Amino acid sequence: MAHAAPAPGGRTVTARTGTAGTRGLPDVFSARTHRVMSVAVPVGLGLVYGYWAAANRRSGGEITGWNLLFGFVTAIAFMVLHVAVRYVAARMIREVHAILWAAFAGGTFGFLYSQTDASVLRSSLMGLVIGAACFVVLFYRYYTHEDAQGRRIA
């Protein structure tokens, strides 16, 4: 059988994986990898987002210097907002945690949609729809994986 057996120090070792972890999960990535990815993910997402916004804004036309500048400024703004939301949301209770990420997702989608020359009303409506859908999914996920104070359930 692959049952977890208690080990000294409060750690558990599973017969299936043979590795030790605080909750019986294998240690896959090092702390250095997590530090690198905490920078690489916002940068990568920001560059994709900036390119997408610039491409929407030029709508198939030629690439200009102002278009490149717009893309890089948008990418930097996205990166800063992503890091800020990630920092703040992790310290909030599950409801606020879901609201922050849903507002971020809805706002970023609404901004991208507005670059396609859609009306402000339509862009806002699309951002609200995406944000509401994200809130439902994220609230369910946090409600089933966290306690009321926002700590992960073991």
Side-chain angles (χ1 to χ4, degrees):
M1 291 282 153
H3 296 284
R11 303 180 92 190
T12 57
V13 178
T14 60
R16 182 174 57 88
T17 61
T19 58
T22 56
R23 287 182 254 160
L25 300 173
D27 294 328
V28 179
F29 298 116
S30 67
R32 181 178 180 267
T33 304
H34 284 285
R35 281 192 309 274
V36 167
M37 292 309 291
S38 71
V39 173
V41 168
V43 168
L45 288 175
L47 289 174
V48 169
Y49 186 82
Y51 172 76
W52 196 347
N56 282 353
R57 184 166 217 170
R58 67 183 166 89
S59 48
E62 68 279 351
I63 298 173
T64 63
W66 290 113
N67 188 253
L68 284 174
L69 179 65
F70 175 78
F72 281 116
V73 169
T74 303
I76 290 169
F78 179 91
M79 289 179 227
V80 168
L81 285 173
H82 183 272
V83 169
V85 169
R86 188 179 62 193
Y87 179 79
V88 172
R91 289 154 178 75
M92 298 293 165
I93 60 174
R94 60 186 172 212
E95 294 85 2
V96 178
H97 192 170
I99 287 171
L100 283 173
W101 279 113
F104 178 72
T108 55
F109 184 83
F111 178 74
L112 278 181
Y113 198 81
S114 72
Q115 297 308 306
T116 62
D117 294 330
S119 69
V120 174
L121 182 62
R122 176 129 177 130
S123 299
S124 300
L125 182 64
M126 293 298 288
L128 285 173
V129 167
I130 295 296
C134 287
F135 174 74
V136 169
V137 171
L138 291 171
F139 180 76
Y140 175 77
R141 192 226 184 260
Y142 298 142
Y143 192 79
T144 57
H145 289 79
E146 295 178 354
D147 64 5
Q149 284 74 35
R151 293 183 300 263
R152 291 184 145 231
I153 298 173

